[in-house]
Amino acid sequence: MQQEDAVDRPDVQARLTEDVVHLVRMGLAGRTRDVQLYARRMTRDYEHAAPSLTAELVGLLRRPMGGSPLRASGVAQLAAPSAAAARGGALAPVDSESRLALLRVDDPVFVPRPPVLPDEASDALRRILDEHGRPEVLAAADLAPTRSLLLTGPSGVGKTLVARWLAEQLALPLLTLDLAAVMSSFLGRTGNNIRSVLDHARSGRCVLLLDEFDAIAKRRDDAAEVGELKRLVTVLLQELDTWPSGSLLIAATNHPNLLDPAVWRRFEQVLALGVPGPELARRLVAQLVDGVTDADVIDALGAVAAGVAPAELERDIVRARRAAAMGGGDLEHELMSVIRGLGGRLDRRERARIAAGMVGSGRLSQRRANEIFGVSRDKLRAVAAEHAKDA
């Protein structure tokens, strides 16, 4: 009976309301596959808090999908205006020569998992969301929510995921600059394309993502660059200064050293994202292997994943989950292969150090350390003794 009543708790109700709204938005957009994935996730999240709801969802998910997606019936367009309609009916801009779209539009945005970030970065993103959620508080102090965010860091650390997550949380369309379509070999056209993109984005509230930002905001003192790109930087600086309140412009770059110095001063918030350390890697692993109960495997995978880009780690874990699903085996066994693969990048001494540290902290037995890392008990004892001597 307590399980049935758990759904009456305010925190569970708030979470359930948010999930149902997401589910309806995706359904109205005709995203059948995303609805299925999201509903499956809800069956796990509410298994104990709302067992009746979970049973209903499980029953629906077992039924064969038939008929046309909702979008095909035209109901989706009537119930949820498209991004173009929200912008006064304006269609996404295209390159005048190639007729390629200059923007990719996601509306609504669905993110299967939130980004796993250091506390400092997570706090900064939460502040941005809070500002946009309560603009009247800032307005009373003659202030506006954060309008621009610069994300830096190597490939695969989650810059695009952060942009998508912010758009989802703000319930705003995500407009992503298509760099290949924007960049033109004709003098003047690249600048015109950028202006078209920015003008379109200004016509309604949105999150605008300028990925690979260094390609269009290079240092103006670079002698190798032509005047066209230098003028483009000037245009971008002007746009950043006058970007409208209520929308969020996000720029992302793998090469912050290439950016014009004046660009940095125009962004109200700058976040540098990096590869995760051991603790952050373990949190990411725990999120990606939801349902795995073997804490030894999670701890070991988190330990060897330190320094690995999250996108690369996710790719390896998804591959392991596929192998387990297709082969009918257990996921823990496949994850052991991932651990050995990531551990193979380390030299034997480093693997032994990690294994000995986990044994010393009580997280692994010597037998499990040998099984997972392939480090003998004698080697574990030797490394532990060496560590004690150095201490």
Side-chain angles (χ1 to χ4, degrees), residues 113-122 157-158 272-288 298-299 301-310 313 317 363:
R113 62 175 183 83
V116 176
L117 302 169
D119 291 341
E120 182 180 358
S122 292
V157 296
L273 306 181
V275 293
E279 179 55 33
L280 206 60
R282 190 192 182 285
R283 284 169 48 194
L284 179 59
V285 167
Q287 183 191 72
L288 293 172
I298 294 176
D299 287 343
L301 185 50
V304 296
V308 176
L313 176 61
I317 290 177
R363 288 182 290 169

Side-chain angles (χ1 to χ4, degrees), residues 3 25 53 189 225 264 270 279 282 311 337 389:
Q3 285 186 332
R25 288 171 61 200
L53 171 65
R189 184 171 295 161
E225 292 301 338
W264 291 86
V270 178
E279 179 55 33
R282 190 192 182 285
S337 298
K389 182 179 178 181

Side-chain angles (χ1 to χ4, degrees), residues 132-173:
H132 282 262
R134 300 189 296 158
E136 69 282 354
V137 177
L138 294 174
D142 199 24
L143 296 168
T146 298
R147 298 174 301 164
S148 56
L149 169 65
L150 176 61
L151 301 173
T152 69
S155 177
V157 296
K159 300 185 294 296
T160 301
L161 177 61
V162 165
R164 292 186 60 82
W165 182 75
L166 285 172
E168 180 194 49
Q169 295 298 304
L170 293 170
L172 292 176

Side-chain angles (χ1 to χ4, degrees), residues 201-238:
R202 283 174 174 276
S203 63
R205 292 187 64 213
C206 69
V207 173
L208 174 63
L209 173 60
L210 306 179
D211 208 355
E212 299 183 68
F213 191 54
D214 49 277
I216 56 175
K218 284 188 176 180
R219 300 175 63 98
R220 284 171 292 181
D221 59 5
D222 186 347
E225 292 301 338
V226 298
E228 160 72 359
L229 286 181
K230 294 179 180 180
R231 288 191 295 272
L232 186 56
V233 174
T234 302
V235 170
L236 287 169
L237 294 177
Q238 294 169 348

Side-chain angles (χ1 to χ4, degrees), residues 19 77 95-96 103 136 146 151 154 173-174 176 187 195 198 220-221 302-303 308 321 349 372 375 378 383:
D19 283 338
Q77 285 82 349
D95 179 75
S96 59
L103 285 169
E136 69 282 354
T146 298
L151 301 173
L174 176 67
T176 304
L187 288 176
R195 289 188 187 92
L198 294 171
R220 284 171 292 181
D221 59 5
V308 176
R321 293 176 63 183
R349 183 179 180 82
I372 294 173
V375 179
D378 289 342
V383 172

Side-chain angles (χ1 to χ4, degrees), residues 92-103 178 180-186 189-190 192-194 196-197:
V94 298
D95 179 75
S96 59
E97 183 69 22
S98 67
R99 307 309 296 172
L100 292 173
L102 303 176
L103 285 169
D178 190 325
V182 165
M183 300 298 283
S184 173
S185 59
F186 294 94
R189 184 171 295 161
T190 297
N192 290 337
N193 285 343
I194 291 291
S196 296
V197 165

